[in-house]
Amino acid sequence: MSFAEHLPVLQVVVPLVSAPLAVLFRDRLAAFLLVLAGSWAAFAISILLWLQVRESGIISYAIGSWPAPWGIEYRVDALSSLVLMLVSGVGAVVLPYCRSSIVREIRPDTHYLFYAMFALCLTGLLGITITGDAFNLFVFLEISSLSSYVLIALGKDRRALVASYQYLIMGTIGATFIVIGVGLLYVKTGTLNLADMGVRLQDMTSHRPVLAALAFLTVGISLKLALFPLHQWLPNAYAYAPSAVSAFLAATATKVSVYALLRFYFSVFGETAIFKQLPMEDLMLVLALAGMFVASTVAIFQNNLKRLFAYSSVAQIGYIALGISFDSVTGLTATIVHLVNHAVTKGSLFLLLGAVMASMGGVTLARVQGVGRVMPVTTFGIVLCGLSLIGVPGTAGFVSKWYLILAALEKGQWWLVFLIVLSSLLAVVYVWRFVEAAYFRAPRADLLQAREASLGLAIPAWILVGATIWFGVDTSVTVGSAAAAANMLLGVTP
Amino acid sequence: MSFSSFFSHYDYWVMLFLAMAGLYVVIARGNLIKKLVGLATLQTSVYLLYLVPGKLVGGTAPIVHTAFTLYSNPLPHVLILTAIVVGVATLALGLALAVRIREEYGTIEEDEILHIELGPAKNESPK
């Protein structure tokens, strides 16, 4: 077998191996370099896989050469290759940022452990995306979750501990529900392979365990992806985690859960009678709208910017769920495009906020007054990301909202178009609160000496800001891949 | 549901009772350690869900031999071994966090931590 054939497993193994090595070296610089090498290699592999999938279709890799329904299968298709590239790409950008950022936020003697946890979290997220095995998905989910609890708890503020504990409780309940769902499906079908499960469920005659499995999986994954009203863990976790961790998790963790939801809904349950009878679309629609409006409204009243944008994340997840609720190719394209666009937007936003935090010592609205004068470049970046959250043309957010509106029009739901625009106006309000504080107030006297962030913080942040703008102008990568993935999920040949 | 079908599936009822008891403790208790006990109970109940269907009365280990025709499925056991490891790791991390919270706040009661964070006025106001 050639090297290229083993890429799917290397995608997960390379960052996984870097974690224990980083611990063994017990040295800050060595750990950083190892994990950096691991995550850059993972990004390179994901690009190779994406190209390979685009050329020759689905890649199936049998771990240990055990063929698919029995052994664990790694499966890379249009959707997973895109998500892999997103997760490893964000990881590759955020990691160099960590080096300058955690110096201020985490005790130096624990830095090597931070890098090990970061590598494990990346491994888990990549594993969820690449695996085609239901139980393997749960194991990777727990790898990423456990390491993210640790990463959040490393925050300087003692509230990070409580936030991490709450996330641990909610996340573990979610993960346990997912195992219950997987267990019921396994008992029913006798297989753990997701694709095989989907085929076998089609000819099931008794529905009750499948119905229970669907319910448990929906609630479990929704807890993980912070779908309203199961989002309670998210704002505190993002607000008190170290800046780099907020950015990494906001950009990847919830997005990978969306991926898991899409997998179960469309690859496993998609063709079953039970799924077609249930009002899943209405359920998603109601929760999505509630999330968009309630979370955006709550965001308006936040005084800590990290909390403000964390609530905005919950609202943006509403848009992602809205796309799922259409159950059409355009709707799913909107979901997947927004998954990528929101990830780069929120990732860059939290990176820039981390830079503000480093210079100004905090990100409450009272403290960042006049930040537009002392840190003009960083503030401009935050405003650009804010425009993308609103959905202004020329930014990534516009493209996803455009497809959402197209999907709504396709269904003839004019009132939804109105609601999408109305909720964007709420985003205008909370972004405006930042703009007002940043540009129209004088900086606090003791903060006049604050300077622009160092290059180590600025360069990674601006790479993601650049991506936010680029995905708003050139949509061939995002929309092209998303449309291919949506067609594949719904079994439509374009 | 008939009486006999209830008893032929009693193991599932045990699992369900454990799961709901665990979930109830997580939600109802404010003590961080007790919450973790509830969480562990919930996780352990799931082990039963997997192990019960894997056992056949009179089944042997899966050995390919003409003398053995009926065998139990070993896969659920392997899966649950993994799940146990995950459960242990979660519990350990949860307890470690509880220790750190105790060091920082001097308490492991959820309402007292809220009281410290929000101040007495906010905490007492009705929701």
Side-chain angles (χ1 to χ4, degrees):
Chain A
M1 276 178 118
S2 73
F3 174 72
E5 285 173 55
H6 291 289
L7 284 178
V9 72
L10 288 174
Q11 175 79 83
V12 176
V13 168
V14 170
L16 177 65
V17 169
S18 72
L21 286 179
V23 175
L24 286 176
F25 273 95
R26 299 184 70 89
D27 174 70
R28 193 148 70 123
L29 182 66
F32 170 73
L33 290 175
L34 268 168
V35 176
L36 187 73
S39 66
W40 284 7
F43 185 41
I45 292 170
S46 73
I47 292 174
L48 288 176
L49 283 175
W50 184 73
L51 291 172
Q52 213 173 319
V53 165
R54 209 166 61 154
E55 221 154 82
S56 51
I58 295 172
I59 306 168
S60 171
Y61 182 87
I63 300 271
S65 300
W66 293 93
W70 298 282
I72 292 171
E73 182 196 15
Y74 276 10
R75 203 178 167 84
V76 192
D77 54 25
L79 177 60
S80 50
S81 62
L82 181 67
V83 179
L84 284 174
M85 205 157 64
L86 170 76
V87 172
S88 56
V90 171
V93 173
V94 171
L95 200 68
Y97 179 95
C98 289
R99 186 158 165 72
S100 329
S101 154
I102 63 173
V103 174
R104 288 182 199 82
E105 300 180 30
I106 298 172
R107 269 192 11 233
D109 55 328
T110 57
H111 280 183
Y112 71 100
L113 293 173
F114 172 90
Y115 292 122
M117 282 299 148
F118 192 95
L120 279 181
C121 192
L122 182 66
T123 307
L125 294 170
L126 292 172
I128 297 171
T129 316
I130 205 169
T131 188
D133 182 279
F135 200 82
N136 204 229
L137 188 144
F138 158 73
V139 175
F140 277 123
L141 185 80
E142 281 297 45
I143 291 178
S144 70
S145 303
L146 285 168
S147 45
S148 58
Y149 307 146
V150 178
L151 288 174
I152 291 167
L154 285 170
K156 203 167 54 172
D157 196 311
R158 65 177 180 177
R159 280 172 290 189
L161 293 169
V162 182
S164 167
Y165 182 88
Q166 276 170 345
Y167 185 19
L168 181 132
I169 297 284
M170 301 281 268
T172 308
I173 293 176
T176 309
F177 276 23
I178 293 171
V179 210
I180 295 177
V182 170
L184 288 170
L185 286 177
Y186 174 58
V187 169
K188 248 346 239 178
T189 61
T191 181
L192 283 167
N193 186 287
L194 290 171
D196 198 23
M197 220 180 234
V199 174
R200 291 187 189 206
L201 279 175
Q202 285 176 36
D203 349 295
M204 288 281 151
T205 44
S206 89
H207 288 321
R208 196 175 286 173
V210 182
L211 184 64
L214 177 62
F216 274 115
L217 283 169
T218 303
V219 175
I221 300 176
S222 300
L223 259 169
K224 283 284 177 190
L225 69 85
L227 183 66
F228 183 88
L230 301 169
H231 66 278
Q232 299 296 341
W233 57 268
L234 185 142
N236 280 342
Y238 285 7
Y240 302 122
S243 322
V245 174
S246 302
F248 182 63
L249 292 182
T252 56
T254 49
K255 307 303 173 291
V256 168
S257 305
V258 172
Y259 166 82
L261 191 72
L262 288 172
R263 246 312 145 236
F264 273 108
Y265 272 16
F266 294 96
S267 302
V268 178
F269 290 108
E271 294 303 316
T272 54
I274 184 85
F275 194 69
K276 289 183 175 148
Q277 285 164 12
L278 283 177
M280 294 307 288
E281 295 160 18
D282 300 336
L283 179 78
M284 274 289 168
L285 179 67
V286 171
L287 293 180
L289 288 176
M292 278 154 57
F293 282 93
V294 177
S296 297
T297 312
V298 175
I300 292 172
F301 295 100
Q302 296 302 316
N303 286 322
N304 181 325
L305 281 175
K306 276 176 98 177
R307 265 180 85 89
L308 189 156
F309 287 114
Y311 273 108
S312 141
S313 276
V314 178
Q316 301 285 327
I317 285 161
Y319 292 114
I320 293 177
L322 186 66
I324 300 177
S325 79
F326 291 126
D327 194 23
S328 66
V329 173
T330 324
L332 281 183
T333 308
T335 293
I336 300 162
V337 169
H338 197 49
L339 190 147
V340 177
N341 288 347
H342 179 240
V344 290
T345 308
K346 228 7 115 44
S348 49
L349 193 55
F350 275 111
L351 289 182
L352 291 167
L353 282 178
V356 173
M357 193 133 155
S359 297
M360 310 281 278
V363 287
T364 54
L365 277 172
R367 192 173 266 272
V368 300
Q369 277 178 13
V371 68
R373 283 178 223 175
V374 286
M375 302 173 72
V377 181
T378 308
T379 314
F380 180 63
I382 296 177
V383 172
L384 281 181
C385 296
L387 292 178
S388 175
L389 287 179
I390 298 167
V392 175
T395 59
F398 172 72
V399 179
S400 19
K401 287 209 175 139
W402 175 254
Y403 277 90
L404 269 181
I405 289 175
L406 278 186
L409 289 179
E410 224 172 54
K411 294 241 158 180
Q413 288 162 320
W414 284 92
W415 56 279
L416 259 179
V417 178
F418 172 72
L419 288 180
I420 293 170
V421 175
L422 192 69
S423 69
S424 303
L425 291 180
L426 290 176
V428 174
V429 178
Y430 62 67
V431 172
W432 179 255
R433 289 198 71 203
F434 169 74
V435 174
E436 192 191 353
Y439 287 107
F440 298 102
R441 303 268 171 79
R444 281 175 26 169
D446 54 327
L447 295 173
L448 273 172
Q449 302 309 313
R451 283 286 156 267
E452 275 295 344
S454 64
L455 284 182
L457 296 177
I459 292 172
W462 278 93
I463 289 176
L464 281 184
V465 175
T468 308
I469 302 297
W470 185 50
F471 287 153
V473 179
D474 174 20
T475 57
S476 60
V477 172
T478 50
V479 178
S481 306
N487 281 319
M488 180 211 68
L489 284 175
L490 291 169
V492 185
T493 37
Chain B
M1 179 175 287
S2 71
F3 197 65
S4 66
S5 93
F6 178 90
F7 275 101
S8 65
H9 291 97
Y10 75 94
D11 29 24
Y12 288 109
W13 292 103
V14 172
M15 177 257 155
L16 207 63
F17 172 76
L18 281 175
M20 291 307 117
L23 199 57
Y24 176 79
V25 173
V26 175
I27 296 167
R29 293 293 137 183
N31 184 302
L32 299 188
I33 303 291
K34 287 181 184 166
K35 267 182 190 293
L36 288 174
V37 172
L39 202 63
T41 317
L42 173 64
Q43 286 184 304
T44 312
S45 73
V46 182
Y47 307 161
L48 279 180
L49 177 74
Y50 277 75
L51 293 180
V52 163
K55 172 67 187 165
L56 288 178
V57 177
T60 63
I63 302 164
V64 184
H65 189 275
T66 46
F68 310 108
T69 49
L70 191 67
Y71 59 85
S72 298
N73 186 354
L75 184 63
H77 298 77
V78 182
L79 297 180
I80 288 315
L81 267 181
T82 318
I84 289 172
V85 175
V86 170
V88 169
T90 312
L91 190 62
L93 180 59
L95 288 172
L97 280 173
V99 169
R100 287 283 294 123
I101 288 173
R102 168 99 164 89
E103 284 172 5
E104 293 286 336
Y105 288 90
T107 174
I108 49 164
E109 295 292 333
E110 205 173 35
D111 47 353
E112 286 175 24
I113 295 169
L114 272 179
H115 190 83
I116 295 170
E117 281 306 336
L118 300 175
K122 257 191 178 167
N123 199 24
E124 280 158 17
S125 64
K127 276 197 173 173

